[in-house]
Amino acid sequence: MSDPAQTTDTDSARLAELGYKQELHRGWSGFSNFAISFSIISILAGCFTTFGQAWMNGGPIAISWGWPIISAFILIIGLCLSELVSAYPTAGGIYWWAAKLGRPVHGWFTGWFNLIGLVAVTASVDYGCATFLNLALANTVPGWAGTFTQAFYLFLGILVLHALVNIFGARIINRLQDISVWWHVFGAAVIVAILIVVPTSHQSPSFVFTETINGNGFNGGSTSGLGFWLYVLPLGGLLTQYTITGFDACAHVAEETRGAALNAAKALWRSIFYSAIGGWILLLALLFAVKDAGAVTEGYGFVGVLLQGALSSGFFKVVIIISVVGQFFCGMSCVTSMSRMMYAFSRDGAVPGWRLWTRLDRNGTPVWAVVAGCVAGGLLTLPALYQKNGAPIAFYAVVSVAVIGLYLAFLIPIMLRLKAGDSFEPGPWTLGRRYKVLGWIASIEIIVISVYFILPTVPAGVPFSDEFDWSAVNYAPIAVGTVMLLIGVWWIVSARKWFTGPRRTVDLPAGVATADAPVAVLD
């Protein structure tokens, strides 16, 4: 067993080589690093909150087949990122890699995409948590109507709680991440068991693996033809693409992780792999438990309608409560990851007010970065107050912003790694020669999903159509496009003159050894 003190010294030496002082507290184990990404992926969050997107856009096949297929592509993306975090285990993570492998402009755009994506992930997870808590209260508390307005206020309350936990619970946050893993594992197992044992009847394998649904109104509601297979069904992929995201958290807490060059790399791809397996089992259990497919299609309550039709009131509440707690843990982890990324990006002067966002309290927590990220998440979700007809358009728009922001941030360093070729110096965990084929597969997948998730999700959201309604607009392209324009103009007018990429906060003294380690290929 390695000596923790010696490991920490080696980590600090490697961090110094990369240009930074050891300022964050390095007390996280490899399991804790895995735990934060596993918690942010959170099958108890994404599988429940975006189930409806896949159900309405493809139906059971978008879930039973879509999940494992898209998960395989996401795992490839994760393997590419694992190689990068092994080489550069810094809290800046994604944008640092882009700046190192490319030029400051690459780091600039990558950092902003990553930060926007993390803010949107935090917002979407906490809003999803509030929605399910709202559902639980509506079925428990007399007089609680469960309106969108009530859900929004619950969302704000949860954001505040997560900020407080991250600020005042800094010394135990890694332990809470560990607890979150087991809550997700055992909680999901309990839900699966309930869905297998309690319902009086189950759907057939034919329904689960071959049934198609087009409930969004496109293609005339038809489940055949190119309109369904090339437009409607791919929109259902948002379930998987959104659920299995946020795994870059392994990089953002790398400076707090012992043995980060190896442990963070392994934790990243393993969090994807195990979440993909667990999520598929959970989703199949949900599909087999569907009582009335017509009611689920018509209700827009999706999982709530599904579970109420299949379970008694008591078991229904148990499932919802397990999910709400899992989503709460997920949101807590999202705030941790988002604040560390904002701290690191600000450390290099990229974020206005950077001196405030890099200020650490006595526990080594970037308090103001926590506060700023949570406030930004609340503002991003304001359109949820103006939803109509029970359709969660605003929620899915925030989800799309999260997916597009994060995956575009992943795309840039992956492409730069491909360009670097053999000049890239790997860390102790590397893809070897497989980086080429895996890197190209990952890049193409990210480009494809980024196009799909800026498209209208319902006919009323199509500009200039007869039934156009602003409340039905997928504002993901507006949000992402506006930010791209602003940071692009900012770069041309000002930032290119002073943003030079990662800044050194430490100078290596003579005689400091490097943190070389044996190379492990795809371990």
Side-chain angles (χ1 to χ4, degrees):
M1 181 177 295
S2 61
D3 181 4
Q6 183 178 2
T7 301
T8 300
D9 289 343
T10 302
D11 289 324
S12 298
R14 176 54 181 154
L15 187 61
E17 292 171 23
L18 298 176
Y20 297 115
K21 296 178 183 178
Q22 182 67 58
E23 296 178 306
L24 297 170
H25 176 61
R26 196 177 288 274
W28 290 45
S29 65
F31 183 80
S32 294
N33 186 286
F34 161 83
I36 189 171
S37 280
F38 188 80
S39 298
I40 291 176
I41 291 173
S42 182
I43 60 175
L44 293 178
C47 288
F48 281 78
T49 57
T50 50
F51 181 90
Q53 174 73 2
W55 182 272
M56 297 295 281
N57 295 276
I61 68 163
I63 302 168
S64 59
W65 290 107
W67 178 275
I69 292 172
I70 297 174
S71 294
F73 283 109
I74 297 173
L75 179 59
I76 291 172
I77 295 170
L79 291 170
C80 293
L81 297 184
S82 288
E83 181 177 54
L84 290 169
V85 74
S86 181
Y88 312 121
T90 71
I94 317 298
Y95 94 89
W96 201 98
W97 310 338
K100 174 70 174 179
L101 294 169
R103 300 191 302 275
V105 65
H106 298 113
W108 175 262
F109 279 93
T110 301
W112 279 108
F113 282 137
N114 197 197
L115 184 56
I116 294 162
L118 289 170
V119 168
V121 162
T122 300
S124 61
V125 169
D126 278 6
Y127 188 79
C129 182
T131 300
F132 272 75
L133 179 58
N134 200 30
L135 176 63
L137 292 173
N139 284 271
T140 305
V141 179
W144 189 276
T147 65
F148 277 127
T149 301
Q150 288 173 316
F152 189 81
Y153 288 129
L154 287 174
F155 158 68
L156 294 180
I158 292 170
L159 265 180
V160 171
L161 284 176
H162 281 149
L164 294 175
V165 169
N166 272 269
I167 293 170
F168 296 105
R171 290 185 177 275
I172 61 169
I173 197 75
N174 58 331
R175 296 290 177 263
L176 293 175
Q177 308 288 0
D178 295 351
I179 293 171
S180 175
V181 170
W182 299 115
W183 183 271
H184 279 80
V185 171
F186 290 111
V190 169
I191 292 174
V192 170
I194 289 174
L195 292 172
I196 291 174
V197 174
V198 175
T200 55
S201 62
H202 291 84
Q203 292 289 346
S204 67
S206 176
F207 172 85
V208 171
F209 292 102
T210 66
E211 186 72 14
T212 55
I213 293 172
N214 178 2
N216 65 17
F218 285 117
N219 199 42
S222 173
T223 58
S224 61
L226 293 179
F228 175 77
W229 294 103
L230 297 182
Y231 189 86
V232 176
L233 183 61
L235 292 178
L238 186 62
L239 163 66
T240 314
Q241 204 76 48
Y242 166 67
T243 301
I244 308 181
T245 196
F247 41 81
D248 53 318
C250 290
H252 299 314
V253 297
E255 290 183 30
E256 297 165 79
T257 303
R258 297 187 295 271
L262 193 58
N263 286 332
K266 291 182 177 180
L268 196 154
W269 75 262
R270 286 174 178 173
S271 66
I272 298 171
F273 180 76
Y274 291 120
S275 294
I277 294 174
W280 198 36
I281 294 171
L282 177 60
L283 288 168
L284 290 178
L286 285 167
L287 288 174
F288 276 108
V290 171
K291 190 75 171 180
D292 184 350
V296 178
T297 302
E298 296 169 4
Y300 258 108
F302 300 115
V303 171
V305 174
L306 184 159
L307 294 174
Q308 285 178 316
L311 304 175
S312 65
S313 175
F315 282 111
F316 168 77
K317 292 175 184 177
V318 168
V319 171
I320 294 299
I321 290 171
I322 290 174
S323 176
V324 167
V325 175
Q327 291 175 46
F328 187 86
F329 276 128
C330 176
M332 174 193 71
S333 300
C334 288
V335 172
T336 305
S337 177
M338 173 267 297
S339 63
R340 270 42 172 194
M341 192 278 154
M342 187 172 181
Y343 160 82
F345 202 32
S346 299
R347 179 172 59 184
D348 293 325
V351 184
W354 61 270
R355 288 182 177 84
L356 182 60
W357 319 134
T358 55
R359 190 176 298 171
L360 303 177
D361 68 4
R362 61 182 181 181
N363 295 317
T365 302
V367 172
W368 291 107
V370 171
V371 173
C374 290
V375 170
L379 294 174
L380 180 64
T381 318
L382 275 176
L385 283 172
Y386 304 99
Q387 295 180 141
K388 297 180 180 179
N389 304 321
I393 303 297
F395 170 72
Y396 289 136
V398 176
V399 165
S400 295
V401 171
V403 170
I404 295 167
L406 287 178
Y407 280 95
L408 285 179
F410 300 161
L411 174 64
I412 297 173
I414 290 174
M415 291 293 291
L416 290 170
R417 163 67 181 102
L418 286 169
K419 182 181 178 182
D422 294 337
S423 66
F424 174 77
E425 296 181 12
W429 194 97
T430 177
L431 294 174
R433 302 304 304 174
R434 284 165 285 203
Y435 81 87
K436 290 184 179 179
V437 63
L438 295 181
W440 278 112
I441 292 173
S443 299
I444 293 170
E445 201 268 352
I446 292 172
I447 292 170
V448 170
I449 63 102
S450 296
V451 171
Y452 270 110
F453 296 154
I454 63 173
L455 299 175
T457 56
V458 292
V462 179
F464 310 111
S465 66
D466 293 337
E467 53 187 315
F468 179 74
D469 185 342
W470 275 107
S471 68
V473 169
N474 173 12
Y475 63 87
I478 300 174
V480 175
T482 299
V483 170
M484 287 182 66
L485 179 63
L486 290 175
I487 62 177
V489 171
W490 187 8
W491 173 261
I492 294 171
V493 173
S494 174
R496 65 187 177 89
K497 301 174 183 177
W498 50 263
F499 182 75
T500 58
R503 298 176 176 177
R504 293 186 66 87
T505 63
V506 66
D507 290 319
L508 280 174
V512 172
T514 61
D516 294 332
V519 172
V521 180
L522 264 178
D523 180 19

